[in-house]
Amino acid sequence: MVPARRVYLLLGLGIAIAPLLCFFLSIAASIAVILLFDAIVLGLMIVDAWRSRPLRVEIQRELPPRLSIGRDNPVVLTVKSPKSNAVIQIRDYYPVEFGVSATTLRTSVASNSTQELTYTINPTQRGEFPWGNIQVRQLGPWGLAWDDWQIPLSLRVKVYPDLLGLRSLSIKLTLQSSGSLRKRQMGIGTEFAELRNYRTGDDLRFIDWKATARRVGAYSNTPPLVRVLEPEQEQTLLILLDRGRLMTAKVQGLQRFDWGLNATLSLALAGLHRGDRVGVGVFDRQMHTWISPERGQSHLSQLIDRLTPIQPVLLESDYLGAVTSVVQRQTRRALVVVITDLVDVTASTELLAALSKLAPRYLPFCVTLRDPQVDRLAHTFTENVTETYGRAVALDLLAQRQVAFAQLKQKGVLVLDAPANQITDQLVERYLQLKARNQL
């Protein structure tokens, strides 16, 4: 039981009228009257709290089956008021590691009705977390007391990588490759897709004269047929995700490794959707986890289950060892994507040497996750010495990265350097471009 604001107002009123009573009654009588008044108010408060207990609301909590890191996950509380109107305050004991849109929910529910309250939680760590009970306060019928109790709904929840982003990407890829939305272009790809009627502007080199001759033999005045090609499938995509020291730094609330893991799963989804064989390796000083290349959408579930528990470690990564492990396991040509970060040419010498070792037998692709704050510092006008010094350091860091990328490009390595919070979309788009251009 918790006193309501009305109780404090009444008690304050009793104190305010105490001096007036002294003009009509003795001091002792005035004190007695005020004490009697306060006792009546407190007694009514207790009765009000006791009366509200049979009128308690019922609350159920509904969570997403899998929580996504770095996303606003909706939590729905269903409130049912069985007998009378209810004024309530709700506090859900979510894990303290989560960000939340509202710590306390307040609402009024009409009698014999149901109402849904929604708030969002934003996990910043993967793993398993305890979720506590629901604390409820309901105002009594007289508005003098809050009936305070807990609803036992404790459980344990698991936080996964960005599954909401994977769902959106899956829908996008499906729309791109289905029915009339599929945009096939002649000459882009090596595998035959279909024959269609010649259109103005089509390249004459792709006319299928044999098929056209057979068609003209059966029908007169028909346009020629042209071949439509699509990117080759059943190629191999290998993704190497660094979990070493550089990936432990936090970027916009999430560890760089979590951004890299989200990008890994999104790229794997795109590869599987395009019919490629996708394998993933996670490394630090050694190859920590290796998932052999396979095809099929069911392979994505295996990737999610095996990669979700992995956390970054404060160890220097062995890039040469990781590349050597890939060369030993994968003898045929493949697109090898290394998701990591680099500082400058000197600090990243081993990374440059390892990626150079892959070319030209494989198609190496270096993906680095840049901190958006460095970009912001480098491109913000400064007004004092301290800010100017910080901007100079940021500019020098970006310049050193560009020198390292230039050396990689000279050795035949593909490069993508993007802010960590934008890396997923840009990486998937770059992969689709590589497929369309048959660079693998």
Side-chain angles (χ1 to χ4, degrees):
M1 178 185 65
V2 178
R5 181 180 299 181
R6 186 174 298 179
V7 171
Y8 294 106
L9 293 177
L10 292 174
L11 295 177
L13 178 63
I15 296 175
I17 65 176
L20 297 177
L21 293 176
C22 294
F23 288 103
F24 304 99
L25 303 173
S26 64
I27 295 177
S30 299
I31 295 175
V33 171
I34 295 301
L35 291 177
L36 177 62
F37 176 78
D38 291 346
I40 293 174
V41 170
L42 295 176
L44 291 175
M45 179 190 71
I46 295 173
V47 174
D48 192 30
W50 177 78
R51 290 185 60 203
S52 65
R53 290 189 176 183
L55 307 176
R56 286 179 175 179
V57 297
E58 300 175 4
I59 299 179
Q60 294 293 330
R61 181 203 294 135
E62 183 178 352
L63 296 173
R66 291 183 174 184
L67 300 179
S68 297
I69 189 172
R71 290 276 188 164
D72 289 332
N73 299 263
V75 180
V76 180
L77 300 178
T78 304
V79 184
K80 182 179 180 181
S81 179
K83 296 181 180 180
S84 64
N85 298 340
V87 178
I88 58 174
Q89 298 178 359
I90 303 175
R91 182 178 179 86
D92 198 358
Y93 287 105
Y94 54 87
V96 296
E97 295 86 356
F98 295 178
V100 65
S101 60
T103 57
T104 303
L105 303 176
R106 299 175 176 85
T107 189
S108 299
V109 185
S111 60
N112 299 316
S113 65
T114 302
Q115 183 176 343
E116 289 188 351
L117 304 178
T118 303
Y119 70 97
T120 60
I121 51 99
N122 192 318
T124 57
Q125 301 177 30
R126 285 173 293 108
E128 189 173 354
F129 301 90
W131 199 302
N133 300 325
I134 296 179
Q135 189 79 29
V136 184
R137 287 183 179 180
Q138 182 171 339
L139 190 62
W142 296 335
L144 297 177
W146 293 95
D147 184 20
D148 186 70
W149 80 97
Q150 283 192 2
I151 298 178
L153 291 176
S154 61
L155 71 162
R156 298 191 68 84
V157 295
K158 291 184 178 181
V159 179
Y160 289 79
D162 186 10
L163 302 182
L164 294 177
L166 289 177
R167 186 181 308 162
S168 300
L169 177 60
S170 179
I171 295 173
K172 178 181 176 181
L173 294 172
T174 302
L175 291 176
Q176 287 179 353
S177 60
S178 63
S180 60
L181 294 180
R182 186 167 188 173
K183 299 180 180 178
R184 295 191 181 112
Q185 300 182 23
M186 293 187 306
I188 297 184
T190 58
E191 289 192 348
F192 174 79
E194 63 182 358
L195 289 172
R196 65 169 172 80
N197 291 335
Y198 175 84
R199 299 171 186 170
T200 303
D202 285 346
D203 195 329
L204 299 177
R205 293 176 299 174
F206 296 102
I207 295 178
D208 190 325
W209 294 109
K210 292 183 178 180
T212 302
R214 288 193 296 268
R215 185 180 186 185
V216 171
Y219 305 96
S220 59
N221 298 324
T222 56
L225 296 174
V226 295
R227 297 190 191 94
V228 178
L229 305 178
E230 64 182 3
E232 184 180 352
Q233 297 185 356
E234 298 189 15
Q235 296 174 314
T236 302
L237 167 62
L238 297 178
I239 309 171
L240 297 181
L241 177 59
D242 182 9
R243 74 161 196 153
R245 178 181 59 84
L246 291 176
M247 304 298 282
T248 60
K250 282 202 170 185
V251 179
Q252 294 193 338
L254 297 183
Q255 288 183 314
R256 187 177 270 115
F257 179 80
D258 288 315
W259 292 113
L261 180 56
N262 292 339
T264 297
L265 293 174
S266 296
L267 180 58
L269 172 61
L272 294 171
H273 200 277
R274 288 297 185 263
D276 287 345
R277 300 170 63 249
V278 179
V280 176
V282 182
F283 68 96
D284 43 65
R285 285 183 179 174
Q286 58 185 0
M287 187 64 70
H288 176 272
T289 301
W290 175 259
I291 305 175
S292 300
E294 293 183 16
R295 295 181 58 201
Q297 294 299 317
S298 60
H299 186 47
L300 182 64
S301 300
Q302 179 188 1
L303 294 176
I304 294 174
D305 292 338
R306 292 192 58 183
L307 296 179
T308 295
I310 301 176
Q311 300 291 343
V313 292
L314 289 171
L315 297 174
E316 293 297 333
S317 299
D318 183 2
Y319 298 103
L320 285 173
V323 167
T324 301
S325 177
V326 169
V327 172
Q328 293 174 349
R329 299 169 188 263
Q330 177 68 26
T331 57
R332 299 179 61 185
R333 180 172 173 81
L335 172 61
V336 182
V337 181
V338 180
I339 301 179
T340 183
D341 194 33
L342 55 79
V343 180
D344 52 32
V345 177
T346 304
S348 305
T349 302
E350 184 180 352
L351 172 62
L352 303 182
L355 292 174
S356 302
K357 183 179 178 181
L358 289 172
R361 181 179 178 183
Y362 304 89
L363 180 59
F365 188 2
C366 180
V367 179
T368 55
L369 293 78
R370 198 169 66 245
D371 190 344
Q373 186 176 0
V374 176
D375 294 344
R376 193 162 45 251
L377 288 174
H379 299 94
T380 301
F381 180 76
T382 56
E383 298 180 351
N384 55 61
V385 175
T386 303
E387 293 179 352
T388 302
Y389 178 77
R391 184 185 182 190
V393 173
L395 288 170
D396 180 67
L397 180 60
L398 293 179
Q400 291 293 331
R401 291 171 70 93
Q402 293 304 316
V403 172
F405 295 142
Q407 292 190 9
L408 286 174
K409 292 177 181 179
Q410 290 176 355
K411 297 178 180 180
V413 179
L414 303 177
V415 172
L416 174 61
D417 180 42
N421 58 335
Q422 302 175 19
I423 194 67
T424 296
D425 294 337
Q426 295 191 29
L427 178 56
V428 171
E429 185 64 27
R430 186 71 175 276
Y431 165 75
L432 296 178
Q433 291 175 2
L434 293 175
K435 290 288 291 183
R437 296 171 184 172
N438 299 307
Q439 289 185 246
L440 180 55

